[in-house]
Amino acid sequence: MARRRPPVLERRIATATQYCQHFAVTVGTEPPNGIGVCPACRHLPIWRHPLCPTEQRNRGLAPIRCRRLRLSTVPRHTVGTMIELPRACFVAGQIAKHADFFSFGTNDLAQSALGFSRDDVEATFVPTYIDRKVIDRNPFETIDEPAVGRLVRLAAEDGRHAHPNLKLGICGEHGGEPTSIEFFHRARLDYVSCSPYRVPVARIAAAQAAIRNPRVQVRHRLAER
């Protein structure tokens, strides 16, 4: 529904803002709004609706929207996208012009790059491939650097070239795996997101990666999902 009718997302943002204003809740950062499965550069601008600060100034609609949604102040937030398809990686430079952040959905990116459904192959031939040394590790648990990793690097480099302040991170199974975290550190990503029970391991892995790669000046932050 939100994909077909962006005002649905707008109302959700307004509801959250009303809650914060009513209970005097202060938020230390602008809440991010991630748009999933963005394969084309013309897809994301549709979502930069008038509640975004830039559009507020350009269109002059902020006061009207705020009155209609019963807001005392204009909500500030960032808009970004999930990078989950190989095509999105190839056109990341164009998408970055309209995004505040990229979050690499490595679960879906691995599946679309490898051409396999994780549910179909992880319990069937992947264990046999590992036993027979066809592959070294499960690519759905540890990032496949030559393929999926290269897509991440390409999108990160092209995205930052088009938008130097672009925030980069990942959300997926790989976000809590130490070897993958070190790769993301070398690829100059800003944060990893993982399930709460994996946060301690991810914190240690991020610190170890920073020690082993001191020349890479990057800030690691962990987000529990």
Side-chain angles (χ1 to χ4, degrees):
M1 177 64 71
R3 183 176 296 278
R4 295 177 59 185
R5 300 184 63 187
V8 172
L9 180 61
E10 178 181 295
R11 286 195 294 273
R12 290 180 179 177
I13 296 172
T15 300
T17 303
Q18 287 176 322
Y19 178 90
C20 293
Q21 291 175 350
H22 179 73
F23 291 99
V25 177
T26 57
V27 181
T29 184
E30 297 177 2
N33 294 280
I35 310 304
V37 191
C38 182
C41 59
R42 297 180 183 178
H43 181 92
L44 193 59
I46 297 174
W47 292 88
R48 299 201 70 95
H49 45 75
L51 283 182
C52 294
T54 302
E55 281 73 5
Q56 292 165 10
R57 293 190 295 268
N58 292 346
R59 302 184 186 181
L61 295 178
I64 299 175
R65 292 289 178 130
C66 285
R67 286 195 298 270
R68 182 169 61 82
L69 297 172
R70 299 179 182 178
L71 299 177
S72 60
T73 59
V74 178
R76 295 185 60 84
H77 60 281
T78 57
V79 175
T81 184
M82 298 285 290
I83 301 295
E84 301 170 291
L85 299 174
R87 188 184 191 280
C89 295
F90 293 133
V91 298
Q94 301 175 42
I95 298 175
K97 297 176 182 178
H98 309 285
D100 299 312
F101 65 88
F102 282 172
S103 180
F104 291 94
T106 53
N107 291 340
D108 288 336
L109 185 59
Q111 292 182 99
S112 57
L114 297 173
F116 293 121
S117 167
R118 179 179 181 178
D119 295 335
D120 292 341
V121 305
E122 199 167 35
T124 54
F125 62 79
V126 167
T128 302
Y129 274 24
I130 295 175
D131 291 340
R132 298 186 179 184
K133 308 301 181 182
V134 177
I135 57 177
D136 296 326
R137 299 180 180 181
N138 184 343
F140 300 110
E141 295 179 355
T142 303
I143 194 76
D144 177 20
E145 292 190 29
V148 181
R150 188 171 181 179
L151 290 173
V152 172
R153 280 187 179 274
L154 173 67
E157 293 172 0
D158 289 355
R160 284 262 172 83
H161 184 266
H163 185 176
N165 294 324
L166 185 70
K167 185 181 294 185
L168 301 174
I170 79 106
C171 176
E173 186 75 18
H174 307 90
E177 199 277 322
T179 302
S180 302
I181 290 175
E182 182 167 358
F183 166 78
F184 298 133
H185 178 86
R186 296 196 308 269
R188 297 180 178 271
L189 270 62
D190 297 305
Y191 69 90
V192 297
S193 175
C194 60
S195 53
Y197 77 94
R198 304 188 76 175
V199 167
V201 174
R203 286 186 181 276
I204 294 173
Q208 292 174 337
I211 293 172
R212 284 193 290 263
N213 301 273
R215 294 183 181 179
V216 180
Q217 300 298 322
V218 66
R219 178 177 56 191
H220 279 282
R221 293 186 299 173
L222 298 171
E224 296 185 9
R225 71 164 189 256

